[in-house]
Amino acid sequence: MAVNMQEKDPEKVVPEEDDKESPIEQVRLTVSNDDDPSLPVWTFRMWFLGLLSCALLSFLNTFFSYRREPLVITMITVQVATLPLGRIMARVLPTRKFKIRTWEFSLNPGPFNMKEHVLISIFANAGSAFGNGPAYAVGIVDIIKTFYFRNITFLSGWILVVATQVLGYGWAGIMRKYVVDPAEMWWPSSLVQVSLFRALHDKQGEGKTSRGKFFLVVLACSFIWYIVPATASMPPATSLNFNSWIIIGTVFNFFIFRYRKKWWQRYNYVLSAALDAGVALMGVVLFFCVTLWNVNFSWWGTGGEYCDLASCPTAKGISVDGCPLT
């Protein structure tokens, strides 16, 4: 434990308060302090799946951002998908060690571990603009081309996109003392990922089995959840999105957190991750199975969201059945 030597009495040693415990209750209940420094991190599996995930999420989020109700595919989808892929690679890749001068490495240093999984997800998070969809500057490129009828080269557009993406890292580095290092600067959305990592990698007897079954149940429920329209973007969301967000958030993060804290600690963020992953997965499935083929459904969850008069002509003197005459 860290110690603090008092100036007045150099012989007296007073222990400092353990700084590993977070002052935030939600963090203490969710994040483990245990670490295994022997786990390999910079592996071939991490680089391959990380770069692939980053590129794939960047493409999908940019592609889906042009829909009327944009769909955001977050890193949670990658968290779920890359775990079996990483374990398959750990089984099939050769364990032979290669040596380049003094550098020795292996394509398969052992079982796929949580640290590799975390880094892969960080790569994916960068590709999804940190949970916000496509890269911010893609919209700037669109505006230049569409509204200003100006041409911008691929190189210029690429530099613009990369510069705005890394700008956040720069500000985080400059302000690290104030917005990163203090334990009070916690990010609730990160607890979702932490809980999902622990649930996916937990192998301790019956606890793992019950949590795994629960995760599969809520993942299945999230498929149904998507029928009430995705999306992680609040501005283009319909009223159903707002209502669901308010009700679920209030129930789980107020009532359950206050009166059923053990349940909240064990399942709350895992449930959130499952719902998020299910929405993203169903968004992709429905697009390629329904939207791409121009299949439309008319029901209370879609038609009730828009005013029937929105399609009426606004020019004076035009008469259309069911529309007011202007």
Side-chain angles (χ1 to χ4, degrees), residues 100-323:
I100 301 178
R101 294 185 179 179
T102 59
W103 181 37
E104 190 178 68
F105 67 95
S106 171
L107 296 179
N108 190 358
F112 184 69
N113 64 74
M114 188 185 297
K115 290 187 176 181
E116 292 176 280
H117 199 186
V118 169
L119 278 177
I120 291 169
S121 300
I122 291 175
F123 272 65
N125 205 31
S128 63
F130 315 104
N132 293 313
Y136 173 77
V138 172
I140 299 177
V141 176
D142 291 340
I143 291 171
I144 291 174
K145 288 178 171 288
T146 305
F147 294 100
Y148 291 96
F149 304 103
R150 299 280 299 276
N151 186 37
I152 181 172
T153 64
F154 173 81
L155 180 61
S156 299
W158 182 80
I159 293 175
L160 174 63
V161 171
V162 172
T164 54
Q165 289 295 95
V166 300
L167 186 64
Y169 287 113
W171 278 112
I174 294 172
M175 304 296 292
R176 177 175 177 174
K177 181 179 178 181
Y178 306 102
V179 299
V180 177
D181 291 339
E184 291 79 10
M185 292 297 171
W186 65 293
W187 304 96
S189 61
S190 298
L191 299 183
V192 178
Q193 285 84 36
V194 173
S195 296
L196 182 56
F197 282 125
R198 293 179 65 182
L200 291 174
H201 287 268
D202 190 354
K203 292 291 183 180
Q204 304 302 319
E206 295 180 1
K208 176 262 175 183
T209 303
S210 62
R211 279 191 289 274
K213 288 180 179 179
F214 181 83
F215 178 73
L216 293 177
V217 170
V218 294
L219 184 60
C221 291
S222 65
F223 294 161
I224 302 174
W225 179 269
Y226 185 77
I227 295 176
V228 179
T231 176
S233 296
M234 295 306 292
T238 59
S239 61
L240 285 176
N241 295 103
F242 287 105
N243 294 338
S244 302
W245 173 68
I246 292 172
I247 294 171
I248 297 298
T250 302
V251 169
F252 283 90
N253 289 299
F254 180 77
F255 293 105
I256 291 183
F257 177 73
R258 172 170 290 188
Y259 301 110
R260 295 291 185 270
K261 194 156 290 184
K262 286 294 184 182
W263 194 99
W264 185 95
Q265 176 183 4
R266 193 170 187 180
Y267 296 125
N268 182 70
Y269 288 116
V270 178
L271 172 62
S272 175
L275 292 174
D276 198 352
V279 168
L281 178 60
M282 286 306 298
V284 176
V285 171
L286 290 177
F287 175 82
F288 287 104
C289 295
V290 178
T291 307
L292 191 63
W293 303 100
N294 294 321
V295 178
N296 296 309
F297 296 99
S298 179
W299 62 298
W300 67 266
T302 55
E305 285 300 308
Y306 306 99
C307 177
D308 293 333
L309 303 180
S311 59
C312 291
T314 57
K316 292 183 178 181
I318 299 179
S319 177
V320 176
D321 291 340
C323 294

Side-chain angles (χ1 to χ4, degrees), residues 5-6 8-13:
M5 300 297 293
Q6 302 297 309
K8 293 183 179 179
D9 186 0
E11 299 297 327
K12 186 178 180 181
V13 177

